Amino acid sequence: MNGLPRVVTIAWCLTDASARGPARRLSHAAITAAAIEVADDQGLGAVTMARVAQRLGFTTMALYRYVSTKAELLLLMADAAVALPDLKVERGEGASGLRRWADAVRDAHRAHPWLAEVPRASTSAMMPNSARMTDLALRALDGLPLTAPEKLATVLALSGLAAFYADVERSMAAEPTEAIDPDALAPFVGALAASCPDVAALTASGEFVNTTGADDSWVEQQYAFSVAALLAGLPSAAE
Amino acid sequence: MNGLPRVVTIAWCLTDASARGPARRLSHAAITAAAIEVADDQGLGAVTMARVAQRLGFTTMALYRYVSTKAELLLLMADAAVALPDLKVERGEGASGLRRWADAVRDAHRAHPWLAEVPRASTSAMMPNSARMTDLALRALDGLPLTAPEKLATVLALSGLAAFYADVERSMAAEPTEAIDPDALAPFVGALAASCPDVAALTASGEFVNTTGADDSWVEQQYAFSVAALLAGLPSAAE
DNA sequence: ACCTGAACACCGTTCAAGT
DNA sequence: ACCTGAACACCGTTCAAGT
């Protein structure tokens, strides 16, 4: 037996404000917001206790009054980044609501491309915004012929797909993916032909390795296709 | 226009062995293997240029003769970790083959729980073992009424789901998830009730927050359910 | 009780030097 | 050409000290 993770009580504001001593000049919200600014601007790798503190005009060590570890700060950032979008879901709406819900999750990841880089922690699900997002999805699933674990699996899988494709998009944007010179590609195609006939065929037709430069739409289509498949398959998976 | 990423040519052994100078006393394979040992033993966070070199009996800087950056080493590790399992897939086998394929991907992630932590790079798809895995899945999909992008989406989504659930499993194992004291849970349930009625209901029935200690089987069931739904929904998503 | 300054034990990566 | 030693500019986190 043990208590709630400390960061959960922080995020839900379940901790009593300490009464004694000098007034606090920082706050979890301010620290989290500053860290998100850094991550949005320069990537998660640039999120440093020193850099966050500097942006707030404080010393690095001042942060440790509010956060006991950098991992805790990352959890706060991740939860703040999935703050509820403008999304209304009808109770029992089903597939159409879930599709819009997945799009909202994806939008959050697009707005904060570093989200997928934050190490997953089992605590995440108990954080307020994550819980609210889950709640919306469960609302859409209400009344459907699925067990509770099946509903949770649906929610997890959908958010997993949304996060996954958003991260694919991020990784493509990160490496500018200039078109690869066909001459440079030749030895690679040769190696492929030997052990990967099906991939080699796709590569030859230009559908595997991107030889034409940036190409945004296909990730969108693949995401839409995957979500559509998952949603369409729910009834038969439940049998 | 530019050439193949350097790490791709390394992984496919497309670089000419340098002839002149002292014989090389290290190799990419040895370095990658040592790094994987470190990651398996102590987690990806413990993978340090210094620690890898030490395990091999070399100086840290010796590694930079073989790898131009730590990110490159991580790519080599990730690809080596998905080395082909003992998996036969019939051409055009369809759903049953894809399910076993997804299980194989998941097994790789279970054997190397740090896999999901390796930052995704667009280069990954061109690495040899990744390509071979993709090839197997395409083999199972051959002849099905799906376009090439739809087939790739299926492969991506399946591997995404396998990786996702393996990472969920890892994160649960990382935080020992002792049962949470009901008394400590009470204020959390109270907060939930206000903004998350559906999640609160699940929590009350013990299906959301784990209040009973370790619980492996539900991740397995949720993974199986998600994959089943995705596979079952393929035909209707393709229409 | 907050916040600071100095310090510790690390990182990845560079560069000139040895062989 | 390989490999080493020393150095650089960082990290997260600690601890004692100020207010």
Side-chain angles (χ1 to χ4, degrees):
Chain A
M1 291 286 183
N2 53 12
L4 284 171
R6 194 185 101 97
V7 68
V8 172
T9 68
I10 289 173
W12 283 94
C13 303
L14 297 176
T15 43
D16 322 344
S18 52
R20 271 206 275 276
R24 303 193 130 198
R25 289 153 56 201
L26 274 171
S27 69
H28 293 103
I31 293 173
T32 304
I36 288 180
E37 280 178 32
V38 174
D40 286 346
D41 289 356
Q42 318 175 53
L44 195 64
V47 175
T48 281
M49 300 304 271
R51 198 131 32 197
V52 172
Q54 188 189 17
R55 186 173 283 239
L56 293 163
F58 283 78
T59 334
T60 306
M61 293 67 68
L63 304 186
Y64 285 95
R65 283 280 124 194
Y66 297 81
V67 143
S68 58
T69 208
K70 189 186 175 185
E72 223 174 73
L73 175 55
L74 290 177
L75 277 181
L76 291 172
M77 290 173 66
D79 195 61
V82 295
L84 266 196
D86 199 19
L87 175 69
K88 299 284 178 219
V89 174
E90 299 294 323
R91 180 160 296 280
E93 183 179 348
S96 78
L98 291 173
R99 186 173 292 109
R100 290 186 298 116
W101 183 87
D103 289 345
V105 173
R106 193 164 180 232
D107 287 343
H109 279 261
R110 279 177 160 166
H112 307 288
W114 44 268
L115 256 179
E117 288 179 73
V118 176
R120 200 183 319 282
S122 48
T123 300
S124 314
M126 299 175 72
M127 298 291 276
N129 290 325
S130 301
R132 287 182 197 116
M133 279 305 279
T134 303
D135 197 68
L136 272 183
L138 288 176
R139 184 180 164 84
L141 282 163
D142 189 39
L144 269 67
L146 297 174
T147 65
E150 285 169 350
K151 288 178 185 174
L152 283 175
T154 305
V155 178
L156 265 184
L158 276 179
S159 74
L161 281 178
F164 175 78
Y165 279 102
D167 199 38
V168 168
E169 218 164 42
R170 178 203 57 75
S171 72
M172 289 178 57
E175 302 168 60
T177 279
E178 297 169 39
I180 293 179
D181 187 341
D183 291 346
L185 204 59
F188 172 64
V189 173
L192 268 182
S195 59
C196 306
D198 292 79
V199 170
L202 281 191
T203 304
S205 67
E207 311 218 51
F208 186 65
V209 176
N210 179 12
T211 52
T212 57
D215 185 356
D216 283 351
S217 65
W218 78 262
V219 182
E220 187 65 35
Q221 289 164 4
Q222 302 215 343
Y223 160 75
F225 177 82
S226 305
V227 169
L230 184 72
L231 292 176
L234 284 182
S236 58
E239 280 164 11
Chain B
M1 289 289 180
N2 52 13
L4 284 171
R6 195 185 101 98
V7 68
V8 173
T9 67
I10 289 173
W12 283 94
C13 303
L14 297 176
T15 42
D16 322 343
S18 53
R20 271 206 276 276
R24 302 193 131 196
R25 287 153 54 201
L26 274 171
S27 68
H28 292 105
I31 292 173
T32 304
I36 287 180
E37 281 178 31
V38 174
D40 286 345
D41 289 356
Q42 318 176 52
L44 194 63
V47 174
T48 282
M49 299 304 272
R51 198 132 31 198
V52 172
Q54 188 189 18
R55 187 172 283 237
L56 293 163
F58 283 79
T59 332
T60 305
M61 293 68 67
L63 303 186
Y64 284 95
R65 284 280 123 194
Y66 297 82
V67 143
S68 58
T69 207
K70 190 187 173 183
E72 224 173 72
L73 174 56
L74 290 178
L75 278 180
L76 290 172
M77 289 173 67
D79 195 62
V82 295
L84 266 197
D86 199 19
L87 175 68
K88 298 284 179 222
V89 173
E90 298 293 324
R91 180 162 296 278
E93 182 179 349
S96 78
L98 290 172
R99 185 173 293 108
R100 289 187 296 116
W101 183 86
D103 288 345
V105 172
R106 193 164 181 231
D107 287 342
H109 278 262
R110 278 178 161 164
H112 307 287
W114 44 268
L115 255 179
E117 287 180 74
V118 176
R120 199 185 319 282
S122 48
T123 301
S124 313
M126 298 175 71
M127 298 290 278
N129 290 326
S130 301
R132 286 182 198 116
M133 278 306 278
T134 302
D135 198 69
L136 271 184
L138 288 176
R139 184 180 164 84
L141 282 163
D142 190 38
L144 269 67
L146 297 174
T147 65
E150 285 170 350
K151 287 178 185 173
L152 283 175
T154 305
V155 177
L156 265 183
L158 276 179
S159 74
L161 281 178
F164 175 77
Y165 280 102
D167 198 38
V168 168
E169 217 164 43
R170 178 203 56 77
S171 72
M172 288 178 56
E175 302 167 60
T177 279
E178 297 170 38
I180 293 179
D181 187 339
D183 291 345
L185 204 58
F188 173 64
V189 174
L192 268 182
S195 59
C196 306
D198 292 79
V199 170
L202 281 190
T203 305
S205 68
E207 311 218 52
F208 186 65
V209 176
N210 180 12
T211 52
T212 57
D215 185 357
D216 282 351
S217 64
W218 78 263
V219 184
E220 186 65 36
Q221 290 164 4
Q222 302 216 344
Y223 160 75
F225 177 82
S226 305
V227 169
L230 184 73
L231 291 177
L234 283 183
S236 59
E239 280 165 10

